[in-house]
mmCIF file of all heavy atoms in Angstrom:
data_model
loop_
_atom_site.group_PDB
_atom_site.id
_atom_site.type_symbol
_atom_site.label_atom_id
_atom_site.label_comp_id
_atom_site.label_asym_id
_atom_site.label_seq_id
_atom_site.Cartn_x
_atom_site.Cartn_y
_atom_site.Cartn_z
ATOM 1 N N ALA D 1 -50.662 107.126 78.691
ATOM 2 C CA ALA D 1 -50.410 106.123 79.787
ATOM 3 C C ALA D 1 -49.270 105.224 79.281
ATOM 4 O O ALA D 1 -49.248 104.845 78.160
ATOM 5 C CB ALA D 1 -51.585 105.271 80.087
ATOM 6 N N ALA D 2 -48.395 104.926 80.208
ATOM 7 C CA ALA D 2 -47.243 104.139 79.916
ATOM 8 C C ALA D 2 -47.658 102.718 79.664
ATOM 9 O O ALA D 2 -46.970 101.949 78.958
ATOM 10 C CB ALA D 2 -46.134 104.201 81.064
ATOM 11 N N ASP D 3 -48.665 102.181 80.286
ATOM 12 C CA ASP D 3 -49.076 100.861 80.128
ATOM 13 C C ASP D 3 -50.638 100.717 80.513
ATOM 14 O O ASP D 3 -51.191 101.750 80.873
ATOM 15 C CB ASP D 3 -48.258 99.913 81.059
ATOM 16 C CG ASP D 3 -48.220 100.264 82.476
ATOM 17 O OD1 ASP D 3 -49.128 100.894 82.963
ATOM 18 O OD2 ASP D 3 -47.173 99.941 83.080
ATOM 19 N N MET D 4 -51.133 99.464 80.497
ATOM 20 C CA MET D 4 -52.525 99.288 80.750
ATOM 21 C C MET D 4 -52.924 99.649 82.170
ATOM 22 O O MET D 4 -53.988 100.260 82.415
ATOM 23 C CB MET D 4 -52.967 97.813 80.374
ATOM 24 C CG MET D 4 -52.827 97.463 78.957
ATOM 25 S SD MET D 4 -53.780 98.474 77.893
ATOM 26 C CE MET D 4 -52.980 98.082 76.288
ATOM 27 N N ALA D 5 -52.082 99.336 83.178
ATOM 28 C CA ALA D 5 -52.320 99.657 84.525
ATOM 29 C C ALA D 5 -52.430 101.169 84.724
ATOM 30 O O ALA D 5 -53.341 101.647 85.475
ATOM 31 C CB ALA D 5 -51.288 98.998 85.450
ATOM 32 N N ALA D 6 -51.557 101.897 84.066
ATOM 33 C CA ALA D 6 -51.542 103.359 84.193
ATOM 34 C C ALA D 6 -52.791 103.909 83.496
ATOM 35 O O ALA D 6 -53.360 104.891 84.072
ATOM 36 C CB ALA D 6 -50.283 103.918 83.585
ATOM 37 N N ALA D 7 -53.237 103.307 82.437
ATOM 38 C CA ALA D 7 -54.490 103.755 81.753
ATOM 39 C C ALA D 7 -55.677 103.508 82.730
ATOM 40 O O ALA D 7 -56.545 104.425 82.831
ATOM 41 C CB ALA D 7 -54.685 102.972 80.378
ATOM 42 N N ALA D 8 -55.718 102.406 83.390
ATOM 43 C CA ALA D 8 -56.823 102.077 84.301
ATOM 44 C C ALA D 8 -56.773 103.069 85.411
ATOM 45 O O ALA D 8 -57.900 103.539 85.888
ATOM 46 C CB ALA D 8 -56.660 100.631 84.869
ATOM 47 N N ASP D 9 -55.597 103.431 85.931
ATOM 48 C CA ASP D 9 -55.507 104.471 86.965
ATOM 49 C C ASP D 9 -56.178 105.798 86.574
ATOM 50 O O ASP D 9 -56.865 106.485 87.331
ATOM 51 C CB ASP D 9 -54.036 104.735 87.387
ATOM 52 C CG ASP D 9 -53.350 103.459 88.127
ATOM 53 O OD1 ASP D 9 -54.184 102.693 88.693
ATOM 54 O OD2 ASP D 9 -52.132 103.413 88.172
ATOM 55 N N LEU D 10 -55.826 106.189 85.248
ATOM 56 C CA LEU D 10 -56.363 107.432 84.746
ATOM 57 C C LEU D 10 -57.923 107.360 84.727
ATOM 58 O O LEU D 10 -58.648 108.347 85.084
ATOM 59 C CB LEU D 10 -55.907 107.695 83.388
ATOM 60 C CG LEU D 10 -54.474 108.236 83.116
ATOM 61 C CD1 LEU D 10 -54.062 108.245 81.721
ATOM 62 C CD2 LEU D 10 -54.426 109.639 83.777
ATOM 63 N N LEU D 11 -58.428 106.153 84.400
ATOM 64 C CA LEU D 11 -59.827 105.992 84.281
ATOM 65 C C LEU D 11 -60.594 106.176 85.607
ATOM 66 O O LEU D 11 -61.726 106.604 85.672
ATOM 67 C CB LEU D 11 -60.209 104.736 83.589
ATOM 68 C CG LEU D 11 -59.788 104.503 82.208
ATOM 69 C CD1 LEU D 11 -60.217 103.056 81.751
ATOM 70 C CD2 LEU D 11 -60.514 105.551 81.239
ATOM 71 N N GLU D 12 -59.908 105.868 86.672
ATOM 72 C CA GLU D 12 -60.515 105.960 87.977
ATOM 73 C C GLU D 12 -60.856 107.384 88.236
ATOM 74 O O GLU D 12 -61.788 107.667 89.082
ATOM 75 C CB GLU D 12 -59.478 105.424 89.094
ATOM 76 C CG GLU D 12 -59.097 104.021 89.022
ATOM 77 C CD GLU D 12 -60.183 103.060 89.675
ATOM 78 O OE1 GLU D 12 -61.290 103.509 89.858
ATOM 79 O OE2 GLU D 12 -59.815 101.916 89.746
ATOM 80 N N GLY D 13 -60.096 108.299 87.699
ATOM 81 C CA GLY D 13 -60.406 109.740 87.833
ATOM 82 C C GLY D 13 -61.271 110.374 86.803
ATOM 83 O O GLY D 13 -61.486 111.577 86.837
ATOM 84 N N LEU D 14 -61.731 109.602 85.827
ATOM 85 C CA LEU D 14 -62.540 110.137 84.788
ATOM 86 C C LEU D 14 -64.055 109.618 84.947
ATOM 87 O O LEU D 14 -64.211 108.401 85.141
ATOM 88 C CB LEU D 14 -61.934 109.757 83.459
ATOM 89 C CG LEU D 14 -60.588 110.374 83.022
ATOM 90 C CD1 LEU D 14 -60.089 109.730 81.878
ATOM 91 C CD2 LEU D 14 -60.748 111.884 82.924
ATOM 92 N N PRO D 15 -64.973 110.343 84.637
ATOM 93 C CA PRO D 15 -66.440 109.904 84.878
ATOM 94 C C PRO D 15 -66.896 109.190 83.587
ATOM 95 O O PRO D 15 -66.359 109.247 82.559
ATOM 96 C CB PRO D 15 -67.148 111.282 85.040
ATOM 97 C CG PRO D 15 -66.405 112.200 84.127
ATOM 98 C CD PRO D 15 -64.878 111.799 84.305
ATOM 99 N N GLY D 16 -68.069 108.453 83.888
ATOM 100 C CA GLY D 16 -68.810 107.893 82.825
ATOM 101 C C GLY D 16 -68.275 106.587 82.196
ATOM 102 O O GLY D 16 -67.266 105.992 82.705
ATOM 103 N N LYS D 17 -68.903 106.123 81.145
ATOM 104 C CA LYS D 17 -68.510 104.853 80.532
ATOM 105 C C LYS D 17 -67.308 104.953 79.642
ATOM 106 O O LYS D 17 -66.956 106.055 79.139
ATOM 107 C CB LYS D 17 -69.794 104.316 79.700
ATOM 108 C CG LYS D 17 -70.976 104.121 80.551
ATOM 109 C CD LYS D 17 -72.140 103.427 79.869
ATOM 110 C CE LYS D 17 -71.826 101.911 79.523
ATOM 111 N NZ LYS D 17 -72.997 101.273 78.970
ATOM 112 N N VAL D 18 -66.685 103.833 79.486
ATOM 113 C CA VAL D 18 -65.389 103.729 78.783
ATOM 114 C C VAL D 18 -65.533 102.735 77.617
ATOM 115 O O VAL D 18 -65.983 101.594 77.822
ATOM 116 C CB VAL D 18 -64.271 103.297 79.739
ATOM 117 C CG1 VAL D 18 -62.927 103.211 78.966
ATOM 118 C CG2 VAL D 18 -64.254 104.254 80.911
ATOM 119 N N LEU D 19 -65.030 103.084 76.437
ATOM 120 C CA LEU D 19 -64.877 102.116 75.338
ATOM 121 C C LEU D 19 -63.372 101.659 75.285
ATOM 122 O O LEU D 19 -62.520 102.453 75.059
ATOM 123 C CB LEU D 19 -65.230 102.715 73.989
ATOM 124 C CG LEU D 19 -65.135 101.889 72.745
ATOM 125 C CD1 LEU D 19 -65.995 100.681 72.843
ATOM 126 C CD2 LEU D 19 -65.354 102.659 71.489
ATOM 127 N N LEU D 20 -63.216 100.406 75.523
ATOM 128 C CA LEU D 20 -61.831 99.796 75.531
ATOM 129 C C LEU D 20 -61.654 99.187 74.176
ATOM 130 O O LEU D 20 -62.308 98.177 73.774
ATOM 131 C CB LEU D 20 -61.746 98.658 76.609
ATOM 132 C CG LEU D 20 -61.887 99.121 78.042
ATOM 133 C CD1 LEU D 20 -61.910 97.890 78.941
ATOM 134 C CD2 LEU D 20 -60.804 100.139 78.423
ATOM 135 N N THR D 21 -60.607 99.689 73.408
ATOM 136 C CA THR D 21 -60.292 99.116 72.090
ATOM 137 C C THR D 21 -58.921 98.525 72.089
ATOM 138 O O THR D 21 -58.167 98.547 71.085
ATOM 139 C CB THR D 21 -60.488 100.244 71.038
ATOM 140 O OG1 THR D 21 -59.464 101.188 71.204
ATOM 141 C CG2 THR D 21 -61.819 100.766 71.083
ATOM 142 N N THR D 22 -58.473 98.009 73.257
ATOM 143 C CA THR D 22 -57.062 97.530 73.476
ATOM 144 C C THR D 22 -56.996 96.011 73.060
ATOM 145 O O THR D 22 -55.765 95.507 73.151
ATOM 146 C CB THR D 22 -56.596 97.836 74.855
ATOM 147 O OG1 THR D 22 -57.552 97.247 75.800
ATOM 148 C CG2 THR D 22 -56.530 99.287 75.131
ATOM 149 N N GLY D 23 -58.017 95.316 72.976
ATOM 150 C CA GLY D 23 -57.942 93.897 72.666
ATOM 151 C C GLY D 23 -58.286 93.066 73.882
ATOM 152 O O GLY D 23 -58.011 93.449 75.039
ATOM 153 N N SER D 24 -58.733 91.829 73.706
ATOM 154 C CA SER D 24 -59.065 90.972 74.788
ATOM 155 C C SER D 24 -57.998 90.606 75.725
ATOM 156 O O SER D 24 -58.142 90.347 76.834
ATOM 157 C CB SER D 24 -59.767 89.729 74.209
ATOM 158 O OG SER D 24 -58.924 88.962 73.349
ATOM 159 N N LYS D 25 -56.735 90.547 75.117
ATOM 160 C CA LYS D 25 -55.608 90.105 75.913
ATOM 161 C C LYS D 25 -55.178 91.171 76.930
ATOM 162 O O LYS D 25 -54.412 90.933 77.826
ATOM 163 C CB LYS D 25 -54.388 89.811 75.008
ATOM 164 C CG LYS D 25 -54.648 88.549 74.091
ATOM 165 C CD LYS D 25 -53.422 88.403 73.242
ATOM 166 C CE LYS D 25 -53.632 87.177 72.261
ATOM 167 N NZ LYS D 25 -52.482 86.984 71.398
ATOM 168 N N GLU D 26 -55.660 92.404 76.812
ATOM 169 C CA GLU D 26 -55.251 93.567 77.641
ATOM 170 C C GLU D 26 -56.315 93.971 78.646
ATOM 171 O O GLU D 26 -56.219 95.061 79.065
ATOM 172 C CB GLU D 26 -54.865 94.657 76.705
ATOM 173 C CG GLU D 26 -53.860 94.317 75.588
ATOM 174 C CD GLU D 26 -52.448 94.257 76.025
ATOM 175 O OE1 GLU D 26 -52.241 94.308 77.291
ATOM 176 O OE2 GLU D 26 -51.583 94.129 75.208
ATOM 177 N N LEU D 27 -57.259 93.089 78.948
ATOM 178 C CA LEU D 27 -58.384 93.542 79.792
ATOM 179 C C LEU D 27 -58.119 93.428 81.273
ATOM 180 O O LEU D 27 -58.878 94.027 82.031
ATOM 181 C CB LEU D 27 -59.639 92.817 79.353
ATOM 182 C CG LEU D 27 -60.187 93.024 77.958
ATOM 183 C CD1 LEU D 27 -61.335 92.070 77.671
ATOM 184 C CD2 LEU D 27 -60.540 94.486 77.697
ATOM 185 N N ASP D 28 -57.140 92.734 81.685
ATOM 186 C CA ASP D 28 -57.003 92.365 83.172
ATOM 187 C C ASP D 28 -56.936 93.667 84.004
ATOM 188 O O ASP D 28 -57.527 93.745 85.070
ATOM 189 C CB ASP D 28 -55.753 91.499 83.389
ATOM 190 C CG ASP D 28 -55.922 90.158 82.687
ATOM 191 O OD1 ASP D 28 -55.911 90.093 81.461
ATOM 192 O OD2 ASP D 28 -55.950 89.127 83.488
ATOM 193 N N ALA D 29 -56.119 94.591 83.474
ATOM 194 C CA ALA D 29 -55.885 95.839 84.199
ATOM 195 C C ALA D 29 -57.188 96.600 84.485
ATOM 196 O O ALA D 29 -57.279 97.409 85.412
ATOM 197 C CB ALA D 29 -54.898 96.806 83.543
ATOM 198 N N PHE D 30 -58.269 96.459 83.605
ATOM 199 C CA PHE D 30 -59.407 97.230 83.656
ATOM 200 C C PHE D 30 -60.511 96.438 84.436
ATOM 201 O O PHE D 30 -61.624 96.978 84.699
ATOM 202 C CB PHE D 30 -59.918 97.574 82.271
ATOM 203 C CG PHE D 30 -58.916 98.324 81.459
ATOM 204 C CD1 PHE D 30 -58.157 97.582 80.518
ATOM 205 C CD2 PHE D 30 -58.663 99.627 81.668
ATOM 206 C CE1 PHE D 30 -57.217 98.196 79.727
ATOM 207 C CE2 PHE D 30 -57.733 100.228 80.887
ATOM 208 C CZ PHE D 30 -56.964 99.551 79.945
ATOM 209 N N ALA D 31 -60.237 95.209 84.858
ATOM 210 C CA ALA D 31 -61.238 94.394 85.569
ATOM 211 C C ALA D 31 -61.291 94.660 87.023
ATOM 212 O O ALA D 31 -61.360 93.731 87.788
ATOM 213 C CB ALA D 31 -61.017 92.978 85.284
ATOM 214 N N ARG D 32 -61.201 95.893 87.428
ATOM 215 C CA ARG D 32 -61.273 96.332 88.817
ATOM 216 C C ARG D 32 -62.717 96.526 89.241
ATOM 217 O O ARG D 32 -63.490 97.152 88.496
ATOM 218 C CB ARG D 32 -60.465 97.570 89.101
ATOM 219 C CG ARG D 32 -59.050 97.556 88.629
ATOM 220 C CD ARG D 32 -58.408 98.998 88.775
ATOM 221 N NE ARG D 32 -57.001 99.019 88.342
ATOM 222 C CZ ARG D 32 -56.272 100.154 88.353
ATOM 223 N NH1 ARG D 32 -56.908 101.217 88.830
ATOM 224 N NH2 ARG D 32 -55.048 100.110 87.811
ATOM 225 N N PRO D 33 -63.066 96.099 90.484
ATOM 226 C CA PRO D 33 -64.437 96.350 90.930
ATOM 227 C C PRO D 33 -64.733 97.936 90.879
ATOM 228 O O PRO D 33 -63.874 98.721 91.296
ATOM 229 C CB PRO D 33 -64.429 95.904 92.368
ATOM 230 C CG PRO D 33 -63.353 94.875 92.411
ATOM 231 C CD PRO D 33 -62.285 95.312 91.385
ATOM 232 N N GLY D 34 -65.825 98.317 90.325
ATOM 233 C CA GLY D 34 -66.101 99.722 90.207
ATOM 234 C C GLY D 34 -65.750 100.295 88.886
ATOM 235 O O GLY D 34 -66.379 101.280 88.432
ATOM 236 N N LEU D 35 -64.765 99.777 88.277
ATOM 237 C CA LEU D 35 -64.334 100.265 86.967
ATOM 238 C C LEU D 35 -64.798 99.344 85.871
ATOM 239 O O LEU D 35 -65.285 99.879 84.838
ATOM 240 C CB LEU D 35 -62.769 100.258 86.893
ATOM 241 C CG LEU D 35 -62.189 100.718 85.495
ATOM 242 C CD1 LEU D 35 -62.682 102.091 85.107
ATOM 243 C CD2 LEU D 35 -60.601 100.692 85.583
ATOM 244 N N ARG D 36 -64.731 98.068 85.986
ATOM 245 C CA ARG D 36 -65.204 97.110 85.011
ATOM 246 C C ARG D 36 -66.622 97.378 84.590
ATOM 247 O O ARG D 36 -67.038 97.081 83.430
ATOM 248 C CB ARG D 36 -64.913 95.665 85.320
ATOM 249 C CG ARG D 36 -65.661 95.151 86.521
ATOM 250 C CD ARG D 36 -65.226 93.730 86.856
ATOM 251 N NE ARG D 36 -65.736 93.363 88.112
ATOM 252 C CZ ARG D 36 -65.088 92.493 88.932
ATOM 253 N NH1 ARG D 36 -63.960 91.950 88.575
ATOM 254 N NH2 ARG D 36 -65.628 92.203 90.140
ATOM 255 N N GLU D 37 -67.437 97.756 85.590
ATOM 256 C CA GLU D 37 -68.917 97.947 85.303
ATOM 257 C C GLU D 37 -69.168 99.104 84.374
ATOM 258 O O GLU D 37 -70.164 99.211 83.758
ATOM 259 C CB GLU D 37 -69.594 98.175 86.620
ATOM 260 C CG GLU D 37 -69.787 96.966 87.541
ATOM 261 C CD GLU D 37 -68.497 96.626 88.272
ATOM 262 O OE1 GLU D 37 -67.622 97.471 88.342
ATOM 263 O OE2 GLU D 37 -68.389 95.450 88.818
ATOM 264 N N ARG D 38 -68.114 100.065 84.295
ATOM 265 C CA ARG D 38 -68.259 101.211 83.432
ATOM 266 C C ARG D 38 -67.643 100.951 82.084
ATOM 267 O O ARG D 38 -67.824 101.754 81.112
ATOM 268 C CB ARG D 38 -67.581 102.408 84.046
ATOM 269 C CG ARG D 38 -68.145 102.855 85.344
ATOM 270 C CD ARG D 38 -67.639 104.225 85.677
ATOM 271 N NE ARG D 38 -66.246 104.353 86.146
ATOM 272 C CZ ARG D 38 -65.317 104.982 85.653
ATOM 273 N NH1 ARG D 38 -65.515 105.798 84.546
ATOM 274 N NH2 ARG D 38 -64.103 104.954 86.093
ATOM 275 N N CYS D 39 -66.907 99.775 81.850
ATOM 276 C CA CYS D 39 -66.177 99.559 80.660
ATOM 277 C C CYS D 39 -66.924 98.799 79.585
ATOM 278 O O CYS D 39 -67.621 97.812 80.016
ATOM 279 C CB CYS D 39 -64.888 98.879 81.008
ATOM 280 S SG CYS D 39 -63.634 99.911 81.856
ATOM 281 N N CYS D 40 -66.747 99.128 78.321
ATOM 282 C CA CYS D 40 -67.338 98.409 77.266
ATOM 283 C C CYS D 40 -66.178 97.880 76.411
ATOM 284 O O CYS D 40 -65.639 98.620 75.552
ATOM 285 C CB CYS D 40 -68.200 99.376 76.441
ATOM 286 S SG CYS D 40 -69.557 100.061 77.302
ATOM 287 N N PRO D 41 -65.755 96.690 76.644
ATOM 288 C CA PRO D 41 -64.618 96.182 75.814
ATOM 289 C C PRO D 41 -65.144 95.823 74.352
ATOM 290 O O PRO D 41 -66.092 95.058 74.226
ATOM 291 C CB PRO D 41 -64.226 94.895 76.617
ATOM 292 C CG PRO D 41 -65.358 94.480 77.417
ATOM 293 C CD PRO D 41 -66.254 95.703 77.622
ATOM 294 N N ARG D 42 -64.427 96.238 73.327
ATOM 295 C CA ARG D 42 -64.689 95.841 71.969
ATOM 296 C C ARG D 42 -63.640 94.840 71.573
ATOM 297 O O ARG D 42 -62.450 95.153 71.506
ATOM 298 C CB ARG D 42 -64.662 97.077 71.107
ATOM 299 C CG ARG D 42 -65.169 96.734 69.669
ATOM 300 C CD ARG D 42 -65.380 97.960 68.811
ATOM 301 N NE ARG D 42 -64.175 98.594 68.436
ATOM 302 C CZ ARG D 42 -64.113 99.779 67.786
ATOM 303 N NH1 ARG D 42 -65.148 100.452 67.642
ATOM 304 N NH2 ARG D 42 -62.890 100.295 67.492
ATOM 305 N N VAL D 43 -64.108 93.670 71.302
ATOM 306 C CA VAL D 43 -63.176 92.483 71.038
ATOM 307 C C VAL D 43 -63.587 91.809 69.805
ATOM 308 O O VAL D 43 -64.656 92.023 69.267
ATOM 309 C CB VAL D 43 -63.230 91.530 72.186
ATOM 310 C CG1 VAL D 43 -62.563 92.221 73.514
ATOM 311 C CG2 VAL D 43 -64.541 90.850 72.448
ATOM 312 N N LEU D 44 -62.707 90.911 69.279
ATOM 313 C CA LEU D 44 -63.043 90.093 68.077
ATOM 314 C C LEU D 44 -64.262 89.153 68.313
ATOM 315 O O LEU D 44 -64.472 88.727 69.457
ATOM 316 C CB LEU D 44 -61.868 89.309 67.662
ATOM 317 C CG LEU D 44 -60.735 90.090 67.072
ATOM 318 C CD1 LEU D 44 -59.559 89.172 66.890
ATOM 319 C CD2 LEU D 44 -61.058 90.769 65.782
ATOM 320 N N PRO D 45 -65.044 88.896 67.321
ATOM 321 C CA PRO D 45 -66.181 88.043 67.494
ATOM 322 C C PRO D 45 -65.813 86.463 67.486
ATOM 323 O O PRO D 45 -66.211 85.693 66.573
ATOM 324 C CB PRO D 45 -67.057 88.379 66.295
ATOM 325 C CG PRO D 45 -66.128 88.800 65.233
ATOM 326 C CD PRO D 45 -64.936 89.559 65.972
ATOM 327 N N MET D 46 -65.112 86.202 68.562
ATOM 328 C CA MET D 46 -64.559 84.839 68.697
ATOM 329 C C MET D 46 -64.932 84.355 70.091
ATOM 330 O O MET D 46 -64.992 85.091 71.080
ATOM 331 C CB MET D 46 -63.082 84.754 68.520
ATOM 332 C CG MET D 46 -62.617 85.136 67.141
ATOM 333 S SD MET D 46 -60.783 85.269 67.023
ATOM 334 C CE MET D 46 -60.347 83.605 67.322
ATOM 335 N N ALA D 47 -65.125 83.068 70.258
ATOM 336 C CA ALA D 47 -65.607 82.484 71.555
ATOM 337 C C ALA D 47 -64.692 82.757 72.698
ATOM 338 O O ALA D 47 -65.066 83.172 73.778
ATOM 339 C CB ALA D 47 -65.826 81.016 71.427
ATOM 340 N N ASP D 48 -63.333 82.644 72.465
ATOM 341 C CA ASP D 48 -62.444 82.877 73.502
ATOM 342 C C ASP D 48 -62.340 84.311 73.906
ATOM 343 O O ASP D 48 -62.115 84.606 75.112
ATOM 344 C CB ASP D 48 -61.019 82.373 73.125
ATOM 345 C CG ASP D 48 -60.435 83.032 71.859
ATOM 346 O OD1 ASP D 48 -61.209 83.721 71.171
ATOM 347 O OD2 ASP D 48 -59.238 82.866 71.604
#
């Protein structure tokens, strides 16, 4: 995928749960209704 938005577009056509290892700053593109419920973001153990 060329960028995060393109990756999210790809995920729309793929089934099941998703492990996101892109970092907390890159999560906006995946926070779409219907997609975010399937996503498991792995982020640093920090409050922010």
